[in-house]
């Protein structure tokens, strides 16, 4: 649909995408944080030996963010329709700031082993909860406010923002990997980015679709005016689309997750997510620094992994309209199988 404001579209994409970037940043940065916290030379804390000597603690540091994301997702699932996408992003920004401050504070002010680890793990949970809010609010806001003609592209590009965050996290982590206590900077740089997300989200209008579904049609049109400030016809067409969607939803019986019409899509969606988790792909990203370091390749190689992942993601975004999601899914699964076989061969007989 023509007639939209490019600066406005850049904001309704860029601000929510920043929430995804901060999620990816945490994955990349934690890979280096985990390695540095085990170094007596560069950890900058008295409790580096406790981390180095306990695989359980190492697992808690990485999985703390995932556990927090699960908690955040469970909460946002219940409150999302009540608070709206914009408030989800604002809450995500506040939680990002709080989590990052706790993570940095855990290694500052000469904290003891008990207090340092407690603050770090609490920070991981809070930051993870922010990821849960952001990963729901960001794609929903982008999809509900974007012009129909570029909606799919922008939602797909949000995934690229996550991968860009991973690359930046790897890069910053590597830059501080030989700086005393540098891991605090790897986490600390998320604070100004989170403040930018907070300010940006507050400046955005509420989701027009969310307003329309709550019967606030006048406010919904006002939100659409942000995207279509100079094209009344395009704005009216978008408003009509929202009105039809709102009316059909209000007249239809409440959708049920187990309905037959949703089963195939639900099975495919959940199946892809479970496949990603079962293959250990997130673990490889979190432990990339430690894996390459143990293999003698050098932790800088994890930066190359992030860059390759970004290139592959952008390639998928650029070709999805030509080849379709189903074909790209099969290509991706095949590549995953080849990669897993390669990893199995590489680690055969390895004792780390």
């Amino acid at each position: 649909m023509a007639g939209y404001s490019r600066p406005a579209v850049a904001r309704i994409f860029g601000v929510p995408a920043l929430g995804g970037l901060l999620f990816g940043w945490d994955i990349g940065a934690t890979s280096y944080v985990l390695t540095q916290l085990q170094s007596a030379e560069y950890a900058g804390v008295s409790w580096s030996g406790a981390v180095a000597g306990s695989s359980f603690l190492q697992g808690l540091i990485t999985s703390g963010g995932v556990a927090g994301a699960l908690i955040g997702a469970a909460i946002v699932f219940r409150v999302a329709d009540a608070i709206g996408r914009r408030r989800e992003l604002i809450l995500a920004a506040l939680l990002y700031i709080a989590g990052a401050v706790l993570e940095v504070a855990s290694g500052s002010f000469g904290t003891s082993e008990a207090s340092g680890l407690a603050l770090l793990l609490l920070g991981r949970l809070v930051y993870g909860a922010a990821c849960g809010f952001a990963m729901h609010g960001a794609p929903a806001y982008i999809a509900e406010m974007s012009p129909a003609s570029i909606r799919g592209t922008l939602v797909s590009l949000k995934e690229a923002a996550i991968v860009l965050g991973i690359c930046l996290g790897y890069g910053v982590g590597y830059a501080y990997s030989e700086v005393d206590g540098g891991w605090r900077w790897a986490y600390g740089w998320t604070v100004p980015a989170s403040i930018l997300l907070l300010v940006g989200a507050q400046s955005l209008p509420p989701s027009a679709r969310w307003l329309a579904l709550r019967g606030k049609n006048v406010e919904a049109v006002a939100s659409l005016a942000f995207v279509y400030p100079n094209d009344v016809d395009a704005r009216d067409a978008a408003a009509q689309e929202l009105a039809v969607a709102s009316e059909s939803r209000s007249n239809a019986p409440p959708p049920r997750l187990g309905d037959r019409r949703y089963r195939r899509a639900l099975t495919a969606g959940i199946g892809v997510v479970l496949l990603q988790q079962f293959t250990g792909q997130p673990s490889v990203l979190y432990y990339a620094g430690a894996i390459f370091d143990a293999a003698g390749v050098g932790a800088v190689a994890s930066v190359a992994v992030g860059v390759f992942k970004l290139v592959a993601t952008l390639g998928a975004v650029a070709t999805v309209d030509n080849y379709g999601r189903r074909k790209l899914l099969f290509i991706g699964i095949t590549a995953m199988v080849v990669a897993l076989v390669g990893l199995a061969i590489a680690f055969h007989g390895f004792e780390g």
Side-chain angles (χ1 to χ4, degrees), residues 29-77:
T30 299
S31 175
Y32 280 93
V33 168
L34 189 64
T35 301
Q36 194 176 51
L37 274 177
Q38 300 176 63
S39 168
E41 183 179 2
Y42 296 118
V45 293
S46 60
W47 34 274
S48 60
V51 177
S54 173
S55 57
F56 178 71
L57 272 178
Q58 296 167 27
L60 281 180
I61 292 171
T62 55
S63 63
V66 179
L70 178 62
I71 295 170
I75 295 173
V76 79
F77 181 76

Side-chain angles (χ1 to χ4, degrees), residues 265-276:
L266 184 64
T267 301
I270 293 178
V272 170
V273 174
L274 290 178
L275 182 62
Q276 287 180 322

Side-chain angles (χ1 to χ4, degrees), residues 49-144:
V51 177
S54 173
S55 57
F56 178 71
L57 272 178
Q58 296 167 27
L60 281 180
I61 292 171
T62 55
S63 63
V66 179
L70 178 62
I71 295 170
I75 295 173
V76 79
F77 181 76
R78 292 183 173 274
V79 304
D81 288 340
I83 67 176
R85 320 309 180 200
R86 177 174 166 270
R87 291 195 184 101
E88 287 181 58
L89 294 172
I90 292 173
L91 287 172
L94 292 172
L95 289 169
Y96 273 138
I97 294 170
V101 168
L102 286 169
E103 290 169 340
V104 173
S106 69
S108 307
F109 317 116
T111 50
S112 64
E113 177 179 322
S115 60
L117 286 171
L119 282 174
L120 178 59
L121 294 177
L122 178 60
R124 301 293 297 135
L125 283 172
V126 174
Y127 196 99
C131 295
F133 272 82
M135 289 304 94
H136 183 276
Y141 187 88
I142 293 171
E144 293 176 2

Side-chain angles (χ1 to χ4, degrees), residues 128-189:
C131 295
F133 272 82
M135 289 304 94
H136 183 276
Y141 187 88
I142 293 171
E144 293 176 2
M145 285 294 289
S146 299
S149 59
I150 57 173
R151 187 174 298 151
T153 299
L154 293 183
V155 173
S156 299
L157 279 174
K158 191 271 302 177
E159 296 301 316
I162 296 175
V163 182
L164 176 60
I166 294 175
C167 289
L168 291 175
Y170 281 147
V172 172
Y174 176 72
Y176 287 102
S177 61
E178 295 186 358
V179 175
D180 185 37
W183 63 273
R184 295 193 296 267
W185 288 98
Y187 279 152
W189 277 113

